[in-house]
Amino acid sequence: MPQYTPPLRDMQFVLHELLEVETALRKLPPHGDIDRATIDAVLEEGGRFCAEVIFPLNQVGDREGCTYAGDGAVTTPTGFKAAYDAFVEAGWPSLGADPAFGGQGLPHVVHNAFLEMMNSANQAWSMYPGLTHGAYNALVAFGTEEQKKVFLPKLVSGEWTGTMCLTEAQAGTDLGILRTRAEPSGDGSYAITGTKIFISAGEHDLSKNIIHLVLARLPDAPPGTKGISLFVVPKFVPDANGGAGERNGVKCGSIEHKMGIHGNATCVIHLDGAKGWLVGEPNRGLNAMFVMMNTARLGVGMQSVGLAEVAYQNSLAYARERLQGRALTGAKMPDKPADPILMHPDVRRMLLTQKAYVEAARAFTYWAGLAIDREHKHPSEKVRADNADFVALLTPVVKGFITDNGYECTTLAMQVLGGHGYIAESGLEQYVRDARINMIYEGTNTVQALDLLGRKVLADGGAKLMKFGRVIQELLDSHADNPAMKEFCDPLAALAGKVQVLTGEIAAKAAKNPDEAGAAAVPYLRVIGHLVFSFSWCFAAGVALRKQSGGDPFYRAKLQTARFYFAKLYPEARAMIDQARTGAAPLMEMDAALF
Ligand SMILES: Cc1cc2nc3c(=O)[nH]c(=O)nc-3n(C[C@H](O)[C@H](O)[C@H](O)COP(=O)(O)OP(=O)(O)OC[C@H]3O[C@@H](n4cnc5c(N)ncnc54)[C@H](O)[C@@H]3O)c2cc1C
């Protein structure tokens, strides 16, 4: 049976010692009086809910999965509904929502920390409120006043849940070819017809109503992505009193049997003249979706931070207890039949890889969460614009790099347990299966890499990347007089220089042949991922060096993990630079018939 303890010490290190969120948030008018005690209370109480209420349901959900009743109804695994009721009762759904709609208005960076713990405890369960938050974001940004009034308070309280309905059988990555139609009904509403597939939380028994955000085409829509509109389509049409009224023409046709996240219903959703209302402007539905994607993709990054953390905790506990073989330098526990496997160098590699990736990912994602807060709430227009640029640039890195690493971490955690990790009872193989989807949905990681290189770097001539380069330079300058920081600053500075050269080379080649960008994108994303993680480790090492004299072993562990990162993981960047440089020829010169 796996265990989970919310990693409060490291979360507090990131929030209070690295990011100094209390000071940073007080500069944002809605959070002028926020204090550390409130933030820590949310983490502690939220952590208790995650560890005690939803974590015990994680293996149950995996074993039982959801059940399709045959008449459009879906039953979630044992305990899911009671846990959801407790979640709503305690007010957790409203944590990060706007007080104007009944929310508690907590900053994004704090909400993010709660998401990490929810995902460590139970990713499949957490997707029900997670998707609701996505629908909430779409309506806040683009809904009419009436739509906000009708839907938002119910989504914020958790009484109703939400979904995002984009994918169709023939339209996954390429949403430009989706076919779902929306015909005006003459009363301001639309009749929506089509079939969506793979809709997470598309049907279930947790809430009284389900609010679908659906992409569809108007009758006169131009072809392609410029002809897609967004609609809000409730399962039950709200009545005059704001309650769930008559049943709408939207029904679950079946649920998928899949590799992981069994406790989350992945649904085929049939829309048969379903009543819906336009959200935002006609034919601008994809723009609306893109606005929400920063938070949604950050949310998927948090899923992998959460899974990698819980997998790490369990593999570490096992490595301390499992006795196999003797340490190469001689017995460490001669009174025992063998030494703990933690004494073996390669087991340490597997554990430290997880620790280094998880802690850097936590620092990076919380930093990105704070950047989202600044982007939306800082009084200075320049600060808002700068942070919008950081968020845009780094969102594909959060989604792509962290979910790729998260999968590697869960696989390593399983490996630490040897054969026992492969056995279902250990819980480790479930983490591997659950982590795999994070690399696929919300835009595959290939799509993230293309977005990073094409839209975020090449499209503006590297302006956003250079802005991030200046943040790196500030950190390096702040440590210029500190010889103890050289071991961390030198590799960061070296990689920043190499990124500049590599980006120029790819830009020149891609200008002549677009396949060059397509071929370089995935290794390029890993290079930028290492740039960001080098920045995170350098930043953390600076704080740890300053504080280690107090004798707290936490800081010693931080510094050792930073050293491990630069010695063992950072070198991947060099290989990825080489791979990006080899260009498109080895891929595209192969005749399609020869595969
Ligand atoms: C469990 C689960 C839950 C999901 N939840 C939701 C949900 O709630 N709502 C929703 O709308 N969708 C959801 N999805 C759908 C998911 O977002 C899509 O599966 C994903 O976007 C990829 O689309 P696809 O499966 O059609 O693959 P395809 O688009 O067919 O891609 C196949 C492969 O080709 C690559 N590829 C495609 N186009 C390009 C290109 N231009 N350049 C380079 N490579 C390319 C892809 O990276 C991928 O490797 C879910 C899927 C799953 C499995």
Side-chain angles (χ1 to χ4, degrees):
M1 281 283 287
Q3 304 295 321
Y4 173 61
T5 307
L8 295 180
R9 178 67 183 93
D10 199 55
M11 294 166 91
Q12 284 162 345
F13 170 76
V14 172
L15 290 170
H16 302 305
E17 297 173 64
L18 269 189
L19 302 178
E20 300 179 6
V21 290
E22 193 184 56
T23 313
L25 289 168
R26 283 185 174 189
K27 294 188 181 134
L28 314 182
H31 307 303
D33 55 0
I34 196 153
D35 56 25
R36 179 175 177 157
T38 309
I39 296 170
D40 288 351
V42 170
L43 297 186
E44 278 160 33
E45 275 308 304
R48 210 183 329 273
F49 176 84
C50 294
E52 292 175 7
V53 181
I54 59 174
F55 180 67
L57 302 174
N58 194 43
Q59 284 187 296
V60 179
D62 186 55
R63 269 197 310 273
E64 285 184 18
C66 294
T67 316
Y68 182 71
D71 60 351
V74 172
T75 311
T76 53
T78 307
F80 271 42
K81 166 97 177 104
Y84 187 76
D85 291 345
F87 182 71
V88 171
E89 175 76 11
W92 291 115
S94 66
L95 202 64
D98 190 332
F101 310 114
Q104 298 177 50
L106 243 82
H108 198 83
V109 61
V110 179
H111 188 226
N112 232 18
F114 182 49
L115 289 185
E116 179 201 317
M117 296 189 287
M118 284 174 71
N119 284 301
S120 282
N122 194 329
Q123 173 167 329
W125 185 93
S126 301
M127 286 172 68
Y128 295 99
L131 268 299
T132 306
H133 202 68
Y136 160 85
N137 280 333
L139 289 168
V140 168
F142 296 99
T144 62
E145 287 312 307
E146 179 66 11
Q147 288 166 355
K148 288 181 186 174
K149 200 169 102 204
V150 172
F151 296 111
L152 289 180
K154 302 273 194 205
L155 291 172
V156 168
S157 69
E159 201 179 328
W160 296 356
T161 54
T163 76
M164 306 303 300
C165 298
L166 289 65
T167 307
E168 298 178 8
Q170 80 296 346
T173 301
D174 187 357
L175 291 169
I177 52 177
L178 67 79
R179 294 193 197 121
T180 297
R181 299 184 326 271
E183 304 275 347
S185 302
D187 61 355
S189 73
Y190 292 80
I192 298 168
T193 303
T195 295
K196 296 286 176 180
I197 66 163
F198 296 162
I199 304 309
S200 299
E203 180 57 62
H204 54 79
D205 54 0
L206 302 186
S207 62
K208 292 191 188 125
N209 202 358
I210 302 176
I211 310 305
H212 303 281
L213 270 291
V214 179
L215 288 182
R217 287 184 179 286
L218 291 165
D220 55 355
T225 51
K226 295 202 166 83
I228 297 173
S229 304
L230 182 64
F231 298 86
V232 56
V233 183
K235 174 178 166 186
F236 293 98
V237 178
D239 61 22
N241 302 320
E246 73 182 49
R247 186 75 163 85
N248 203 356
V250 45
K251 193 169 178 179
C252 175
S254 60
I255 58 174
E256 306 294 344
H257 301 279
K258 55 194 193 288
M259 178 175 177
I261 53 165
H262 293 161
N264 195 270
T266 307
C267 304
V268 172
I269 295 288
H270 297 301
L271 300 132
D272 185 10
K275 206 181 211 7
W277 289 269
L278 184 67
V279 178
E281 291 173 44
N283 301 329
R284 306 264 301 160
L286 268 194
N287 288 50
M289 282 291 175
F290 275 126
V291 167
M292 291 165 34
M293 271 176 190
N294 287 339
T295 40
R297 289 179 173 175
L298 186 56
V300 178
M302 294 323 297
Q303 293 183 324
S304 284
V305 181
L307 283 178
E309 167 65 35
V310 68
Y312 169 62
Q313 287 188 17
N314 284 280
S315 60
L316 174 62
Y318 189 85
R320 285 191 196 288
E321 284 179 8
R322 177 70 171 168
L323 305 179
Q324 289 294 294
R326 288 294 181 194
L328 296 172
T329 49
K332 296 289 181 268
M333 293 191 174
D335 52 326
K336 298 258 167 75
D339 285 334
I341 57 171
L342 184 58
M343 299 304 161
H344 302 309
D346 195 60
V347 172
R348 287 177 170 234
R349 173 191 64 82
M350 294 192 278
L351 291 168
L352 279 164
T353 299
Q354 297 174 61
K355 186 170 165 61
Y357 273 153
V358 170
E359 291 180 11
R362 179 173 296 122
F364 174 36
T365 50
Y366 291 17
W367 184 81
L370 184 58
I372 292 180
D373 283 316
R374 286 181 170 134
E375 173 190 355
H376 294 292
K377 299 172 222 164
H378 201 283
S380 150
E381 197 179 327
K382 176 167 183 330
V383 175
R384 287 201 303 275
D386 283 349
N387 280 280
D389 280 351
F390 294 142
V391 171
L393 174 74
L394 297 176
T395 294
V397 185
V398 168
K399 166 48 168 99
F401 193 63
I402 290 180
T403 63
D404 279 353
N405 296 343
Y407 182 66
E408 187 189 341
C409 288
T410 54
T411 308
L412 288 173
M414 187 174 87
Q415 189 77 12
V416 168
L417 272 73
H420 298 274
Y422 196 72
I423 303 301
E425 194 192 347
S426 75
L428 270 292
E429 57 85 43
Q430 182 190 345
Y431 295 136
V432 178
R433 289 185 284 105
D434 287 355
R436 190 63 185 81
I437 187 59
N438 301 345
M439 300 152 76
I440 297 173
Y441 59 19
E442 200 54 57
T444 64
N445 284 0
T446 301
V447 170
Q448 304 303 320
L450 291 168
D451 180 44
L452 172 70
L453 180 58
R455 274 207 210 103
K456 307 295 170 58
V457 175
L458 299 183
D460 69 1
K464 288 189 200 67
L465 185 63
M466 283 188 270
K467 207 179 259 188
F468 181 58
R470 286 195 285 278
V471 174
I472 293 175
Q473 193 55 51
E474 275 169 32
L475 180 71
L476 294 170
D477 291 347
S478 72
H479 292 302
D481 299 330
N482 184 357
M485 279 298 291
K486 199 170 151 45
E487 61 175 315
F488 309 111
C489 290
D490 282 0
L492 172 61
L495 186 54
K498 285 181 186 153
V499 162
Q500 219 173 351
V501 176
L502 177 69
T503 307
E505 285 173 15
I506 298 173
K509 287 204 273 184
K512 293 188 202 124
N513 176 6
D515 275 341
E516 291 292 346
V522 167
Y524 185 80
L525 184 139
R526 286 209 69 79
V527 174
I528 300 297
H530 279 295
L531 180 68
V532 173
F533 274 26
S534 301
F535 173 74
S536 299
W537 275 117
C538 193
F539 194 4
V543 175
L545 266 178
R546 233 181 26 245
K547 298 197 169 185
Q548 68 164 350
S549 56
D552 184 343
F554 176 86
Y555 300 112
R556 208 155 22 95
K558 237 344 139 197
L559 287 167
Q560 288 301 341
T561 312
R563 289 187 182 112
F564 169 84
Y565 171 78
F566 283 111
K568 302 285 186 190
L569 301 179
Y570 166 94
E572 188 203 1
R574 271 178 238 143
M576 289 295 122
I577 289 171
D578 288 349
Q579 201 187 113
R581 279 200 173 123
T582 56
L587 305 169
M588 305 315 284
E589 282 174 5
M590 180 88 160
D591 192 304
L594 295 179
F595 274 87

